[in-house]
C-alpha cells in the first residue's frame, strides 16, 4: 500500500487544498452562526420556541461541497486507510 508521500505525489494535494479552503469557509460561517445564536440565547430566545429566531441571521446559507471526482475520493480514502493502518494496532 502506498504511503502518504506517494499519495500526495499522485495528485492528492488538490484534495488537501480543497479541504483546507472548504474547512476555513465552513468555520467562518459557523462562527457567524454561533455568534448570532449566542446573542439571542442571552435574550432568552431559542429556535425551538421562537418561530422568527433565524429572521435576522445574515450569514447566508451554509457552504456547499463541490463535486470531487472519483479518483480524488479514492485517493482520500486510500490515504485514510494508510494512516489508520500505520497508527492502529492490529
Amino acid at each position: 500500500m502506498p504511503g502518504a508521500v506517494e499519495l500526495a505525489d499522485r495528485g492528492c494535494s488538490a484534495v488537501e487544498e480543497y479541504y483546507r479552503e472548504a474547512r476555513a469557509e465552513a468555520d467562518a460561517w459557523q462562527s457567524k452562526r454561533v455568534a448570532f445564536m449566542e446573542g439571542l440565547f442571552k435574550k432568552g430566545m431559542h429556535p425551538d420556541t421562537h418561530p422568527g429566531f433565524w429572521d435576522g441571521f445574515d450569514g447566508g446559507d451554509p457552504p456547499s461541497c463541490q463535486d470531487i471526482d472519483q479518483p480524488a475520493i479514492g485517493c482520500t480514502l486510500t490515504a485514510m486507510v494508510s494512516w489508520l493502518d500505520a497508527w492502529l494496532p492490529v
Side-chain angles (χ1 to χ4, degrees), residues 53-78:
F53 185 89
W54 293 106
D55 291 349
F57 182 60
D58 63 356
D61 292 330
S64 61
C65 294
Q66 72 180 25
D67 291 333
I68 299 177
D69 63 3
Q70 290 297 78
I73 292 171
C75 180
T76 303
L77 292 174
T78 303

Side-chain angles (χ1 to χ4, degrees), residues 13-80:
S13 59
V15 174
E16 292 170 355
E17 179 62 24
Y18 168 72
Y19 176 80
R20 280 190 291 274
E21 291 172 6
R23 181 76 265 158
E25 184 181 358
D27 288 343
W29 181 82
Q30 180 68 356
S31 292
K32 291 178 193 174
R33 183 175 174 268
V34 168
F36 178 81
M37 289 188 301
E38 287 176 343
L40 293 180
F41 291 158
K42 289 177 184 176
K43 295 177 183 178
M45 298 175 70
H46 190 275
D48 291 345
T49 57
H50 293 82
F53 185 89
W54 293 106
D55 291 349
F57 182 60
D58 63 356
D61 292 330
S64 61
C65 294
Q66 72 180 25
D67 291 333
I68 299 177
D69 63 3
Q70 290 297 78
I73 292 171
C75 180
T76 303
L77 292 174
T78 303
M80 291 170 57

